[in-house]
Structure formats: structure tokens, C-alpha cells
């Protein structure tokens, strides 16, 4: 198979190889060309590379190769060769009820573990549909099901999905003091029960833009002692809360690889509306959050990345603890403050990274493993230097919390390990504004 044809050519046909489970129509949706197209040599390399990235970013394949063969009379066949991933994961699950690994490692409390079975099919019916079943017991007991179809119409632009998950908790984070989460636990009875049910529609008219709209229903039941310990925990003081919410997201994604990007850019805008006045004492909150990220390849081994995120919220209940989350959750944190949370109605966050490819992407072949889903291990190592800064605006912060309404920053160095099945491990040493230092372990790309 030749990657570049010698002359301008017309695509005679497109041949798919290696897609034993995945329907060809799912692969065709991600290609920037079709049978019958006439393509110049100058355009071919860009079309081939971007189409391969589109296919890889579906998370359905371990590897993607696109080339041509049977070149004759200015015509050629395009060959799309993929190595499929393992799609069904009926595996035991251990889950730590913490914001990140570092906060759990601070206490190493094994009582905060939950165990269960997570059955996931990431390519249900070979159409890119994702079906998940969850049964979990222990620290938190969960029962859930979710389903998402990437396309349901002929033009493959509209997707649908739903989820439902019930959680029973014996311990919850009920307030923040000294800029750290404080927990409350009841031995004899659950302290909180949650039910979330949602349905969504997704519109993806091209390869880079996605519009997402979701309708949610939330129901909570609280133990009396929880509300007594923090009357501002929830809008309702009657031991229960229910409301509808709408979530909308617009996304423009031009990154080369979504799980660990090195080049391109990303922008999104998210709008949340909690409560519509259908239930007594339900919330009434509007929230806007937006993220922009830029990734630059400065040389074959040097990379730069920066990202900016902000959140604005308003409404009569946006200061209640359930809805007052800002920095310290997921990727929304200033590195160096992994042990802290900063609560407030609004925040701004700037993150920057300079990376050096210590070991550029390579592949290790394990011949003693027979299946091609596991016997080729891609890997890469990146050294990085980072600087993050943030600010959380809180109208009425708790007296013991000193980080709201303060400009904070952190800097440090790290080593990132990237391998197959979208796995990332980051080992970092950082220092923050207060002079606190620490070693931190994370499992997602920082920006």
C-alpha cells in the first residue's frame, strides 16, 4: 500500500480493512473524501492525515493507516486499514470517592472504596454506540444504565442517548473549611440518595463542530443531620429536593488527538439552567462556562499549550453548597492546589505548559500476545514545565476559607506517560503561591 500516489488521481473505490466489528458506514463518516473524488497530490497528504485523525478520535481503533494502491490510468483505490480496540469490558471496578488520586493518597482511607461491576460495550452493534451497565456496592452503592448512539439519521449528523443512575451514599462532602472538603458520615443509615435521569440529542454537521442539548431530572433525599450540619447545603431544608435542568454545549474541536493533544485548538461554551419552577423549593440558577485551548508544535520535539476557562453564575440559589463548585474539580484546578477546593459563584483559570518529547511516540510489539487488540503498545514520554493561575469570586465565603477572592498560582515540572486505550499518567512536582510543595499523580491530560 502506497501512502502517496505519484500523480493526481481519481478515487476508484474505498476499501476498508481490519474492521471486523465496525460497520463501514461509521468509518466513511470520518473521511474527508469519497469514491469518485478527484484529488491532487498536494491535497492528498492533508486529507489522508486528517481523515486518519478523525478515525482515531472516535476511540474505536488502536491504529489507522490510509494509503492507495492499484494505481492505473490516473485512478486508484484508497485503502483504510484499522486495528480495532477491545470493545467489551466486563471488569470489576474499584472506585475512590475523591476528587483526584492525590486527595485520597493524603489519607489512604480504604473505607472510601466502592467495588462493583462495570459492563461497557464501546461499539455496540458495530455502529459506535456506547452501552454501559453499572452495579456497585461499598462506600457508595450505585446502579446505572446509559446508552448513546452517535448517529440516528441518514446524513449521520444527529445522535441520541439517555442515562439513569441511582446512588446511595453513607458519607458526603457537606462543606468546605480551611479550603478543604469536610466529610460527614452516618453508620446506621444513608446520608444522601441521588437519582439522575437524562436524555440528550447531539448535532454534528461536520468533523469539528458539535452541538449538544440535554434534559436532566435530579432527585435528592437528605438525612436530617446533614441539613442541620449545613443549612446552606441545598436550596431545600425539608430533607428532599427535585428539579429539572437543561444543559447545552457548543464545541469546536480542531485538536490533532483529543486525549493528549499536541497541535490545534479547542473552544466550547456551556450553559446550565437548574430549575424551572415546577417543584416547591427547587433551585433557580443560570450558569455559563467556557473553555478555550491552544496547542502549538514549536519544533519536532517542543510543544506549547495554554487554556483559559471561566464560569459565571447567577440566581437565588447559586451560593448553596450543591451548586457552588469552582476550582479543584476535574481539570478545573490550579496545579499545586490539588489538596484544596475553592468554592464560589464565579471563577477564571489560566493554564500553560511547555513540553519536550523525551521519547517520541513509538510502538512496542509483544509477539507472545496473539490478538492485535493488545499486542502492539504505543507509548511516549514528555517532560513538561507548567504555570497555572486562577481566581474564584465568592460573595459570602466561609470565614476559614482564605483562597476565595484571592489571585492564586502554581508552577512545577512533570513527566507525562501516554499509551494505548487513551491512557495518560502524569507525575508532577509543584509549588503554589503559599510555598506548599508536593508530588502529584494524575490520569488525564492537563490542558
Amino acid at each position: 500500500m502506497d501512502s502517496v500516489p505519484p500523480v493526481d488521481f481519481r478515487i476508484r473505490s474505498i476499501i476498508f480493512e481490519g474492521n471486523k466489528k465496525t460497520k463501514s458506514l461509521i468509518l466513511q463518516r470520518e473521511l474527508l473524501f469519497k469514491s469518485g473524488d478527484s484529488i491532487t497530490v498536494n491535497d492528498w497528504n492533508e486529507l489522508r492525515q486528517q481523515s486518519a485523525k478523525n478515525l482515531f478520535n472516535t476511540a474505536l481503533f488502536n491504529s489507522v493507516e490510509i494509503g492507495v494502491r492499484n494505481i492505473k490510468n490516473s485512478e486508484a483505490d484508497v485503502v483504510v486499514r484499522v486495528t480495532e480496540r477491545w470493545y467489551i469490558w466486563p471488569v470489576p471496578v474499584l472506585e475512590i470517592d475523591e476528587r483526584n488520586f492525590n486527595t485520597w493518597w493524603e489519607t489512604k482511607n480504604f473505607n472510601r472504596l466502592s467495588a462493583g461491576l462495570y459492563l461497557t460495550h464501546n461499539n455496540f452493534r458495530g455502529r459506535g454506540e456506547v452501552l454501559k451497565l453499572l452495579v456497585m456496592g461499598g462506600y457508595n452503592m450505585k446502579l446505572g444504565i446509559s446508552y448513546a448512539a452517535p448517529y440516528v439519521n441518514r446524513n449521520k449528523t444527529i445522535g441520541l442517548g439517555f442515562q439513569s443512575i441511582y446512588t446511595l451514599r453513607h458519607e458526603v462532602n457537606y462543606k468546605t473549611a480551611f479550603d478543604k472538603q469536610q466529610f460527614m458520615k452516618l453508620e446506621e443509615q444513608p446520608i444522601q440518595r441521588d437519582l439522575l435521569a437524562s436524555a440528550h440529542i447531539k448535532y454534528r454537521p461536520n468533523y469539528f463542530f458539535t452541538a449538544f442539548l440535554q434534559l436532566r431530572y435530579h432527585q435528592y433525599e437528605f438525612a436530617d443531620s446533614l441539613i442541620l450540619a449545613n443549612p446552606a447545603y441545598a436550596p431545600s431544608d425539608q430533607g428532599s429536593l427535585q428539579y429539572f435542568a437543561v444543559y447545552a454545549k457548543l464545541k469546536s474541536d480542531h485538536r490533532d488527538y483529543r486525549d493528549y493533544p499536541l497541535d490545534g485548538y479547542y473552544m466550547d461554551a456551556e450553559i446550565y439552567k437548574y430549575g424551572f419552577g415546577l417543584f416547591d423549593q427547587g433551585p433557580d440558577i443560570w450558569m455559563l462556562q467556557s473553555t478555550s485551548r491552544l496547542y502549538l508544535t514549536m519544533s519536532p520535539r517542543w510543544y506549547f499549550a495554554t487554556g483559559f476557562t471561566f464560569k459565571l453564575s447567577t440566581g437565588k440559589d447559586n451560593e448553596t453548597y450543591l451548586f457552588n463548585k469552582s476550582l479543584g474539580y476535574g481539570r478545573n484546578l490550579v496545579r499545586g492546589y490539588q489538596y484544596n477546593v475553592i468554592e464560589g459563584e464565579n471563577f477564571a483559570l489560566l493554564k500553560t505548559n511547555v513540553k519536550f518529547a523525551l521519547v517520541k511516540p513509538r510502538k512496542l510489539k509483544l509477539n507472545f500476545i496473539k490478538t492485535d487488540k493488545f499486542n502492539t503498545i504505543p507509548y511516549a514520554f514528555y517532560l513538561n514545565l507548567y504555570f497555572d493561575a486562577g481566581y474564584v469570586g465568592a460573595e459570602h465565603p466561609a470565614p476559614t476559607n482564605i483562597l476565595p477572592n484571592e489571585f492564586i498560582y502554581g508552577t512545577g515540572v512533570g513527566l507525562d506517560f501516554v499509551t494505548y486505550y487513551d491512557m495518560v499518567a502524569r507525575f508532577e512536582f509543584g509549588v503554589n503561591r503559599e510555598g506548599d510543595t508536593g508530588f502529584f499523580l494524575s490520569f488525564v491530560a492537563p490542558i
Side-chain angles (χ1 to χ4, degrees):
M1 182 171 65
D2 299 321
S3 60
V4 180
V7 294
D8 299 349
F9 71 104
R10 178 179 178 273
I11 298 178
R12 183 187 303 113
S13 65
I14 300 176
I15 302 170
F16 298 104
E17 297 180 349
N19 55 319
K20 300 175 183 178
K21 300 290 184 182
T22 310
K23 304 295 184 183
S24 296
L25 58 89
I26 297 299
L27 285 82
Q28 180 67 65
R29 174 64 175 84
E30 305 301 325
L31 302 180
L32 297 178
F33 49 81
K34 61 183 183 299
S35 297
D37 284 355
S38 296
I39 298 178
T40 67
V41 171
N42 292 334
D43 292 338
W44 169 242
N45 195 49
E46 181 179 350
L47 292 172
R48 177 181 64 87
Q49 290 183 358
Q50 186 59 56
S51 296
K53 291 176 183 177
N54 291 347
L55 284 167
F56 189 81
N57 284 330
T58 63
L60 296 176
F61 310 107
N62 277 331
S63 64
V64 179
E65 297 179 65
I66 300 177
V68 297
R69 67 184 180 202
N70 301 328
I71 302 171
K72 185 177 182 181
N73 298 327
S74 298
E75 290 190 336
D77 298 324
V78 173
V79 179
V80 180
R81 182 179 299 155
V82 298
T83 301
E84 292 183 315
R85 295 186 176 190
W86 187 263
Y87 299 125
I88 303 176
W89 295 92
V91 296
V93 176
L94 283 177
E95 185 177 279
I96 304 170
D97 191 38
E98 290 282 4
R99 296 175 295 108
N100 56 60
F101 177 84
N102 304 286
T103 56
W104 176 78
W105 189 253
E106 194 176 20
T107 62
K108 304 178 185 66
N109 186 354
F110 285 91
N111 291 328
R112 309 192 70 173
L113 292 177
S114 298
L117 180 68
Y118 215 149
L119 176 61
T120 303
H121 198 317
N122 289 316
N123 195 9
F124 187 56
R125 301 196 303 164
R127 298 173 181 269
E129 300 159 302
V130 179
L131 177 65
K132 296 182 180 181
L133 300 173
L134 172 64
V135 179
M136 183 171 290
Y139 184 75
N140 291 326
M141 288 182 255
K142 296 183 180 181
L143 181 64
I145 182 173
S146 67
Y147 167 81
Y151 314 113
V152 295
N153 62 330
R154 178 171 298 193
N155 292 331
K156 301 179 183 63
T157 57
I158 298 175
L160 299 173
F162 70 87
Q163 70 170 334
S164 180
I165 184 166
Y166 175 78
T167 306
L168 186 152
R169 306 175 189 272
H170 284 278
E171 184 176 13
V172 298
N173 160 223
Y174 77 106
K175 70 176 183 178
T176 298
F178 304 99
D179 301 302
K180 292 191 175 184
Q181 290 180 318
Q182 307 298 310
F183 293 89
M184 183 175 181
K185 183 175 183 179
L186 296 182
E187 299 288 351
E188 301 299 327
Q189 63 177 348
I191 195 170
Q192 181 176 302
R193 303 172 191 262
D194 314 344
L195 173 65
L196 168 64
S198 69
H200 74 256
I201 183 170
K202 181 177 71 172
Y203 177 57
R204 185 177 176 234
N206 55 50
Y207 305 99
F208 309 109
F209 177 80
T210 303
F212 183 88
L213 181 66
Q214 184 181 58
L215 176 65
R216 302 173 177 175
Y217 170 74
H218 292 258
Q219 184 183 66
Y220 295 90
E221 293 182 11
F222 311 113
D224 293 340
S225 54
L226 173 59
I227 302 302
L228 288 173
N230 184 1
Y233 182 78
S236 172
D237 60 359
Q238 296 183 353
S240 64
L241 174 68
Q242 59 179 330
Y243 60 91
F244 283 102
V246 169
Y247 168 68
K249 182 175 183 178
L250 302 177
K251 178 177 70 174
S252 179
D253 191 346
H254 292 256
R255 297 172 293 178
D256 51 358
Y257 299 106
R258 291 174 186 171
D259 293 289
Y260 196 85
L262 296 172
D263 199 80
Y265 65 91
Y266 171 94
M267 296 182 293
D268 71 33
E270 302 171 273
I271 298 176
Y272 302 77
K273 177 61 174 78
Y274 298 100
F276 290 91
L278 300 177
F279 303 103
D280 293 339
Q281 296 189 333
D284 181 15
I285 301 170
W286 284 93
M287 189 181 299
L288 168 66
Q289 183 167 314
S290 180
T291 297
S292 300
R293 300 183 183 125
L294 176 66
Y295 308 88
L296 298 175
T297 300
M298 298 186 292
S299 76
R301 284 184 178 269
W302 286 94
Y303 306 91
F304 173 79
T306 184
F308 179 74
T309 302
F310 73 87
K311 183 195 82 169
L312 302 171
S313 66
T314 184
K316 67 181 181 65
D317 302 304
N318 68 336
E319 291 187 66
T320 55
Y321 197 71
L322 273 177
F323 302 101
N324 203 22
K325 312 299 184 190
S326 286
L327 296 185
Y329 300 90
R331 289 187 182 180
N332 291 333
L333 63 85
V334 173
R335 282 171 285 182
Y337 290 90
Q338 278 89 332
Y339 298 132
N340 302 111
V341 293
I342 312 173
E343 316 294 2
E345 300 82 63
N346 312 303
F347 77 79
L349 172 64
L350 175 68
K351 308 181 81 170
T352 59
N353 244 77
V354 176
K355 298 181 184 180
F356 174 74
L358 185 66
V359 177
K360 298 187 72 174
R362 300 178 182 178
K363 293 182 179 180
L364 175 65
K365 186 75 171 182
L366 304 177
N367 294 321
F368 62 89
I369 299 178
K370 300 305 180 183
T371 174
D372 58 4
K373 294 177 174 59
F374 294 101
N375 64 7
T376 301
I377 302 177
Y379 65 95
F381 290 91
Y382 299 89
L383 291 173
N384 67 81
L385 173 68
Y386 68 83
F387 176 82
D388 298 348
Y391 181 89
V392 174
E395 189 170 349
H396 300 104
T400 61
N401 295 329
I402 64 172
L403 296 180
N405 302 319
E406 293 285 339
F407 175 74
I408 61 172
Y409 55 86
T411 186
V413 295
L415 176 66
D416 298 352
F417 169 62
V418 185
T419 185
Y420 66 175
Y421 286 88
D422 308 326
M423 291 190 290
V424 177
R426 293 171 26 230
F427 308 88
E428 293 174 333
F429 172 80
V431 57
N432 60 26
R433 185 196 67 172
E434 284 68 36
D436 300 327
T437 60
F439 290 93
F440 306 103
L441 175 63
S442 304
F443 298 98
V444 294
I447 302 176

